[in-house]
Amino acid sequence: MTNLDAYRIAKEPFYRSVGGEVGLFEAAYRSRMPVMLKGPTGCGKTRFVEHMAWRLGRPLITVSCHEDMTASDLVGRYLLDAEGTVWHDGPLTLAVRQGAICYLDEIVEARQDTTVVIHSLTDDRRILPLEKKNEVVKAHPDFQVVISYNPGYQSVLKDLKESTKQRFAAIPFDYPEAAGEAEIVMREAGADKSTAEALVRIGARSRNLKGRGLDEGASTRMLVNAALLVAAGVPIMEACQVALVIPITDDDDLRDALTGAIAACV
Ligand code: ADP
């Protein structure tokens, strides 16, 4: 059996709680309920699941979902090696056999026929049929499925099937409130308080531009990146250009609007 030590989280990942999410997750884990973390990109969902895996003492297997992902990428496949064809468990099967938390990040990116492989694992059957191998794997008692979902990207073409959605308890996530977000920026980037507070104000201003040209405002992740550049000696206006303005939009008017907002905040 593959050793899951590499998937264990030895040191507590810093996670600043924003509400009752830690208790809710623990309650859901008690019955191994599948959990959906719902919120915009870069607001702490991945960090939260890492923190919870550490808290619960479970290995964490993360899969970043994408549109070319097939069910075999999750479940496993036969591969040819020196001894002939050998079965290799995919990340989901590994988690199911050994009782890890399997985190399917950005699940809507995967095709719907791929996501249905989790159906038999997310109801009371808790089994994973490996059709190609003619085997049915019974989930380890500690196994749990967690998915992330960004409602901002939702479209008719790219959404979870109703039958998939209804298997999950959902915990809502959003950017932390100003004081909390400043604490995160200080802690993650070693920023001083005034820089962190200025970046948080910039984040809030950019989020106000959502829907007015911007699909999403600057995430907490972007603010941390800007603070890391500042800590490395880059002047704050330039750090914000590189970490926030240029990645977020290609539209010159919007870049000007954001730059103006940044200048007003620093
Ligand atoms: P998501 O999975 O929602 O896209 P992440 O969990 O990767 O976002 O968060 C991006 C970064 O923002 C993290 O690496 C961390 O530095 C920071 N972050 C966001 N929210 C928190 C939080 N509540 N506690 C600690 N760090 C956070």
Side-chain angles (χ1 to χ4, degrees):
M1 261 207 192
T2 312
N3 188 330
L4 280 200
D5 284 352
Y7 297 98
R8 289 190 183 278
I9 300 169
K11 197 168 150 271
E12 176 177 355
F14 165 65
Y15 176 73
R16 189 188 183 283
S17 169
V18 292
E21 71 276 29
V22 170
L24 277 174
F25 192 97
E26 282 176 336
Y29 185 73
R30 214 166 292 151
S31 52
R32 309 301 184 256
M33 192 182 293
V35 172
M36 173 192 298
L37 310 179
K38 202 168 181 176
T41 185
C43 76
K45 301 183 295 297
T46 302
R47 180 62 65 85
F48 172 70
V49 78
E50 287 167 354
H51 179 83
M52 293 312 301
W54 169 81
R55 234 172 211 273
L56 295 164
R58 301 314 312 154
L60 175 68
I61 298 184
T62 298
V63 182
S64 297
C65 300
H66 56 84
E67 58 191 9
D68 293 328
M69 195 170 82
T70 63
S72 299
D73 292 327
L74 281 179
V75 162
R77 53 168 58 90
Y78 281 105
L79 292 174
L80 204 57
D81 71 7
E83 285 138 47
T85 44
V86 181
W87 175 263
H88 286 259
D89 278 344
L92 179 64
T93 310
L94 206 61
V96 168
R97 286 194 205 277
Q98 299 205 40
I101 293 175
C102 188
Y103 178 48
L104 303 173
D105 195 9
E106 297 287 359
I107 183 117
V108 280
E109 293 299 328
R111 294 196 337 230
Q112 291 188 341
D113 59 336
T114 305
T115 44
V116 295
V117 304
I118 62 177
H119 280 197
S120 58
L121 282 167
T122 47
D123 56 34
D124 53 9
R125 289 173 288 170
R126 283 179 59 88
I127 54 165
L128 178 63
L130 307 178
E131 277 159 26
K132 288 186 185 142
K133 197 165 180 261
N134 218 354
E135 180 185 348
V136 174
V137 186
K138 206 167 166 295
H140 184 289
D142 295 336
F143 167 77
Q144 186 196 24
V145 180
V146 180
I147 63 176
S148 75
Y149 179 87
N150 182 346
Y153 297 159
Q154 220 169 314
S155 75
V156 185
L157 288 175
K158 250 190 192 175
D159 197 6
L160 287 179
K161 279 161 99 82
E162 205 56 38
S163 55
T164 306
K165 270 186 203 168
Q166 296 212 5
R167 288 158 194 273
F168 288 83
I171 304 182
F173 278 74
D174 208 342
Y175 310 113
E177 91 303 344
E181 194 164 41
E183 188 193 321
I184 292 166
V185 173
M186 284 192 274
R187 183 79 189 252
E188 292 285 294
D192 61 60
K193 197 158 185 271
S194 70
T195 304
E197 285 174 351
L199 288 169
V200 168
R201 284 194 296 275
I202 291 165
R205 294 283 286 263
S206 76
R207 290 163 201 163
N208 287 337
L209 292 171
K210 182 177 168 177
R212 290 192 276 150
L214 276 192
D215 290 336
E216 250 169 49
S219 63
T220 308
R221 177 191 293 122
M222 286 185 143
L223 304 185
V224 169
N225 284 344
L228 285 167
L229 293 176
V230 172
V234 179
I236 190 162
M237 284 302 290
E238 197 181 347
C240 288
Q241 284 296 319
V242 174
L244 310 174
V245 179
I246 300 172
I248 223 171
T249 177
D250 295 323
D251 181 292
D252 286 338
D253 292 339
L254 267 175
R255 283 188 178 174
D256 288 347
L258 268 172
T259 306
I262 291 165
C265 291
V266 296

